[in-house]
Amino acid sequence: MAISLDRLMGFHHKAMQTRTETMEVIAGNLANANTPGYKAKGLDFQKAMQSANQDRQQTMTRTHDKHFEGKMQSQGAIEFRIPLQPDTGDGNTVEVQAERNRFLENGMRYQAGIQFLNGKIKGMKKALASGQGG
């Protein structure tokens, strides 16, 4: 029986990619905190993961080994943030402390995802090693 790495880790791999993209968006917001007129952006994790799940379901079936795998692309989940504080007058909507908190939270979730994937890989290695002995 073949082991499908996509089935084992595909969803979690997409989650890690989404966490990485979230870090990049937040870093961009922080880098532009003093740029007049800059509108803060955010990535909706739930929408991104729903999109990833739909992408997995919409993967085209290959009818021949030499055919390329095909996927239907869906729209990203990056949107402008709605600020909690009133406008400062320069049109910039970046709330630095809130962005720092989002960055830290996303970093912790990223680290938890790494540990989860590491556990899955260790479990698979253990299963493969025990299968070789019998």
Side-chain angles (χ1 to χ4, degrees):
M1 174 188 226
I3 297 173
S4 170
L5 290 177
D6 187 45
R7 282 190 160 185
L8 182 66
M9 292 184 265
F11 186 79
H12 300 291
H13 179 257
K14 179 60 180 173
M16 299 307 294
Q17 287 177 324
T18 303
R19 293 274 176 222
T20 300
E21 189 175 350
T22 299
M23 292 291 237
E24 291 171 1
V25 170
I26 295 170
N29 288 343
L30 289 169
N32 287 290
N34 294 323
T35 304
Y38 182 81
K39 304 298 181 203
K41 298 173 191 154
L43 191 136
D44 187 330
F45 187 80
Q46 295 297 327
K47 283 184 184 179
M49 294 313 296
Q50 286 173 350
S51 172
N53 198 26
Q54 288 173 354
D55 287 348
R56 282 183 69 181
Q57 293 172 356
Q58 294 176 352
T59 299
M60 296 177 204
T61 304
R62 293 185 339 175
T63 56
H64 191 275
D65 288 340
K66 293 188 178 182
H67 290 171
F68 292 113
E69 282 190 43
K71 287 186 178 180
M72 298 175 72
Q73 297 294 325
S74 58
Q75 295 180 357
I78 296 177
E79 302 170 346
F80 289 107
R81 289 201 199 279
I82 299 171
L84 299 174
Q85 299 292 323
D87 190 2
T88 57
D90 67 356
N92 187 309
T93 61
V94 176
E95 297 168 325
V96 175
Q97 192 58 46
E99 293 296 328
R100 286 180 182 158
N101 290 341
R102 287 182 187 107
F103 192 87
L104 290 172
E105 178 185 1
N106 191 66
M108 288 188 299
R109 291 180 185 269
Y110 183 88
Q111 185 63 35
I114 293 281
Q115 290 174 344
F116 181 80
L117 281 175
N118 193 26
K120 280 196 168 257
I121 291 168
K122 283 181 181 178
M124 187 172 69
K125 286 171 69 175
K126 186 176 180 180
L128 289 171
S130 66
Q132 290 177 353

